[in-house]
Structures are given as C-alpha cells and as structure tokens.
Amino acid sequence: MCHFEQLIPISRPLNYNSVNLPKLNFMLSPIGLPIADDESAMRLALLQAQQAFAAGEVPVGAVVVLDGVVIGAGFNCPITTLDPSAHAEMVALRDAAKRIGNYRVTDATLYVTVEPCTMCSGLLIHSRIGRLVYGATEPKAGAVESATQVFSQPWLNHRLDLKGGVLAVECSEIMSEFFQLRRDAKKRLKQASPLPSKD
C-alpha cells in the first residue's frame, strides 16, 4: 500500500537542507494527528512525498483532514503497485473514505504537495471534498490553474474551496531534486555504455 500504519524504514533520505523536514530514519503514520493550520498539514504531505521519493516514485504526497484531524494519507505509487490511478490524492482519499465509512468526504480538506492532474481533480469532485490545498503548481499537467482549470467549468455539480502555493518552494524542491537525480542517473548510464563504433 501507499500509506502506512506503523514505523516504516526510509531507504533514501531526502536532502533535508533543501526541504527543511525533520531528520528521521523512520516514518510514523499521520493518521489521527491534530492539524493546527495549512502549513502543518502540508508538512505531513511532504513527509508522504518523501516516502514516494524513497520508493523511486514521483514524490507527491497527500493527507486528508476532517475536523482538524488527519483521516487519510498517501503518496504516489503507480509504478510499485502497477496501478495507473495510484496518485497521492487517490490513495489518500481512498484511505479517508474507508476510515469514515463513506465515499463522500464532505467538509474534509485534501492537502497535496503538487497541483492535481485532471484525473485527480475529477476525483475531488466525485468525492465531494470541501477544500483543496496544494503546494507547487504543475505547468505541464496541473488541472487547477496551470494546464487547465477543471474547477471553473460551469457544468460541474460540485464546488470546492481552492488554495495554492502553501509551502510551494519546499514542494517544488523535492520534485526538482527527484528529477535531477533521475537525469543524472540516465546520464551516467549513457556514459557507462557508449554506442558501438561504426567501423
């Protein structure tokens, strides 16, 4: 699964200096933790993103908060689960829905480190989430304000409150670090196995 109920070892710690997260070699489930404000919840979402990073997945994390308490958590895991729908938002909302016994999570807030895609935006509408808070924008596939604006469509049967840019720098840095490491690894692989000569 892409959320945890116990202490989980972290195989590859994040560069904590750039993202300003606590130095832990384990992850405690955020379920049941009280949330004081948007930044506190986003920091928990960043810790979920770190789990994705450690698993080699694109580091996006999410938590769902209802009545000031975390009721769902998850991180991107489509590769490890062989599930193309296993985005952080999907995993966190599935977790929350199971915990409250209802597929509608009305009045809850979803915190996610990166602007949701079109699929996840549709999920937010169908789940009747009350509020979306995200960190970094996603210029290529963001469906809130970047590539498209799903929530502004007049035919939608649900409206939610939107807030972007919470800890945007930290949320962007973890993504940048992940993709830089991937580019570096590809470069090293290419240099290690040069193309055969045309002789």
Side-chain angles (χ1 to χ4, degrees), residues 73-131:
F75 56 84
N76 260 10
C77 58
I79 297 167
T80 53
T81 61
L82 303 175
D83 178 358
S85 71
H87 289 195
E89 302 94 324
M90 185 80 70
V91 174
L93 278 166
R94 285 176 180 161
D95 187 32
K98 285 179 184 175
R99 288 177 194 284
I100 65 170
N102 194 336
Y103 74 106
R104 302 281 200 212
V105 288
T106 310
D107 299 325
T109 300
L110 174 79
Y111 293 88
V112 62
T113 57
V114 176
E115 178 184 2
C117 68
T118 305
M119 175 184 71
C120 292
S121 295
L123 169 70
L124 298 177
I125 293 163
H126 289 290
S127 69
R128 300 297 192 262
I129 197 91
R131 184 169 179 248

Side-chain angles (χ1 to χ4, degrees), residues 175-192:
M175 295 286 285
S176 295
E177 182 181 351
F178 177 80
F179 285 110
Q180 184 62 52
L181 287 171
R182 274 181 55 172
R183 285 189 297 274
D184 292 348
K186 283 182 181 181
K187 186 176 179 181
R188 282 192 305 277
L189 184 62
K190 189 175 181 180
Q191 290 171 346

Side-chain angles (χ1 to χ4, degrees), residues 1-149:
M1 292 300 293
C2 306
H3 59 88
F4 299 102
E5 295 292 329
Q6 57 193 6
L7 297 179
I8 307 298
I10 298 171
S11 60
R12 195 253 178 240
L14 182 64
N15 177 349
Y16 296 98
N17 294 329
S18 67
V19 182
N20 194 25
L21 295 176
K23 293 183 179 183
L24 301 174
N25 60 0
F26 62 88
M27 187 69 58
L28 184 62
S29 170
I31 303 303
L33 290 178
I35 298 299
D37 55 33
D38 290 342
E39 284 192 8
S40 299
M42 191 61 73
R43 290 201 186 283
L44 291 176
L46 277 164
L47 290 172
Q48 292 295 307
Q50 182 183 354
Q51 290 286 339
F53 192 114
E57 299 273 5
V58 174
V60 179
V63 295
V64 179
V65 175
L66 180 63
D67 298 328
V69 176
V70 177
I71 62 166
F75 56 84
N76 260 10
C77 58
I79 297 167
T80 53
T81 61
L82 303 175
D83 178 358
S85 71
H87 289 195
E89 302 94 324
M90 185 80 70
V91 174
L93 278 166
R94 285 176 180 161
D95 187 32
K98 285 179 184 175
R99 288 177 194 284
I100 65 170
N102 194 336
Y103 74 106
R104 302 281 200 212
V105 288
T106 310
D107 299 325
T109 300
L110 174 79
Y111 293 88
V112 62
T113 57
V114 176
E115 178 184 2
C117 68
T118 305
M119 175 184 71
C120 292
S121 295
L123 169 70
L124 298 177
I125 293 163
H126 289 290
S127 69
R128 300 297 192 262
I129 197 91
R131 184 169 179 248
L132 165 65
V133 179
Y134 59 95
T137 55
E138 214 297 27
K140 292 182 181 178
V144 179
E145 66 176 277
S146 298
T148 190
Q149 295 82 40

